């Protein structure tokens, strides 16, 4: 359990599957994630979900995002972990819309970044977000990420952002997040 100001990050559990399935089949949330909504049945999804819990990947670390009173509101992950390059990609989704625009996402990203830089030897965290998703870009910039490029893929236009350990440490020494 990793605790932030407004949220807790914890390992994924089988009980998270229904929320995850609901969010991944939601067309608006899928659009924000630049993916098509899931079309598999819940039992099919549950089977794959259980498999991933049983056989976790060494290059992917997913977390459930909970409020401090233990309500599951979203997920975050660092993945594509490359120990040789010292970097990983970050992703987040606040699936429960009643928690949007209330700094839960910002706290989750800040908490995950802090965990990564304190508990691993990674030196760079990067992400991509839809160019049209200004809310996400604002959140990531608030957390210290800076834009470094653009990417067009599968008909989507992304803004690429990154945060380096040194940059994060400098912010920490100034009393930042």
């Amino acid at each position: 359990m990793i605790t932030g100001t407004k949220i807790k990050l914890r390992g994924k559990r089988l009980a998270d599957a229904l929320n995850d399935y609901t969010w991944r089949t939601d067309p608006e949330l899928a659009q924000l994630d630049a993916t098509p909504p899931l079309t598999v049945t819940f039992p099919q999804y549950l089977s794959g979900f259980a498999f991933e819990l049983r056989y976790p990947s060494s290059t992917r670390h997913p977390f459930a995002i909970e409020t401090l009173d233990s309500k599951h509101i979203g997920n975050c992950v660092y993945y594509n972990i490359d120990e040789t390059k010292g970097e990983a990609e970050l992703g987040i989704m606040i699936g429960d819309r009643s928690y949007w625009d209330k700094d839960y996402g910002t706290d989750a990203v800040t908490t995950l970044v802090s965990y990564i830089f304190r508990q691993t030897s990674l030196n760079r965290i990067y992400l991509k977000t839809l160019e049209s998703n200004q809310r996400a870009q604002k959140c990531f910039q608030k957390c210290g990420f800076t834009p470094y490029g653009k990417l067009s893929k599968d008909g989507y236009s992304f803004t690429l952002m990154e945060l380096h350990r040194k940059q994060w440490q400098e912010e920490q020494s100034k009393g930042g997040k």
Side-chain angles (χ1 to χ4, degrees):
M1 183 80 63
I2 309 159
T3 305
T5 307
K6 299 182 87 150
I7 58 88
K8 298 182 284 188
L9 302 179
R10 62 160 172 78
K12 301 291 290 170
R13 317 189 259 243
L14 201 53
D16 299 328
L18 184 56
N19 280 344
D20 288 7
Y21 179 78
T22 301
W23 298 331
R24 300 227 12 232
T25 56
D26 180 301
E28 182 184 7
L29 292 174
Q31 174 63 32
L32 289 171
D33 214 18
T35 61
L38 282 185
T39 56
V40 299
T41 65
F42 180 66
Q44 290 169 319
Y45 180 77
L46 186 59
S47 175
F49 190 92
F51 182 86
E52 287 179 20
L53 287 178
R54 201 171 300 120
Y55 304 103
S57 165
S58 62
T59 61
R60 179 178 177 81
H61 297 286
F63 297 89
I65 302 169
E66 290 187 341
T67 61
L68 294 177
D69 61 356
S70 301
K71 181 174 182 352
H72 181 211
I73 62 167
N75 301 303
C76 60
V77 60
Y78 68 106
Y79 61 109
N80 292 335
I81 299 166
D82 186 328
E83 297 286 349
T84 305
K85 289 183 178 178
E87 62 185 25
E89 189 165 356
L90 183 141
I92 179 173
M93 178 184 52
I94 302 296
D96 186 327
R97 287 175 179 76
S98 61
Y99 291 88
W100 286 9
D101 297 317
K102 296 178 181 168
D103 285 335
Y104 286 88
T106 301
D107 191 40
V109 170
T110 300
T111 301
L112 182 56
V113 163
S114 181
Y115 171 81
I116 293 168
F117 285 143
R118 287 191 170 117
Q119 302 298 321
T120 76
S121 60
L122 299 176
N123 290 309
R124 176 179 175 256
I125 304 168
Y126 62 95
L127 57 87
K128 62 183 176 293
T129 186
L130 289 169
E131 275 186 14
S132 60
N133 193 344
Q134 295 299 310
R135 182 175 60 233
Q137 290 173 45
K138 183 179 171 188
C139 166
F140 296 132
Q141 286 177 330
K142 203 170 171 182
C143 297
F145 284 83
T146 54
Y148 72 92
K150 303 282 184 191
L151 171 71
S152 290
K153 184 178 178 187
D154 301 328
Y156 294 100
S157 297
F158 296 97
T159 296
L160 305 175
M161 302 179 86
E162 66 185 352
L163 178 60
H164 292 268
R165 176 185 294 272
K166 185 176 180 185
Q167 203 182 335
W168 178 79
Q169 288 172 325
E170 287 170 4
E171 197 57 38
Q172 295 299 299
S173 67
K174 293 181 201 170
K177 291 185 178 187

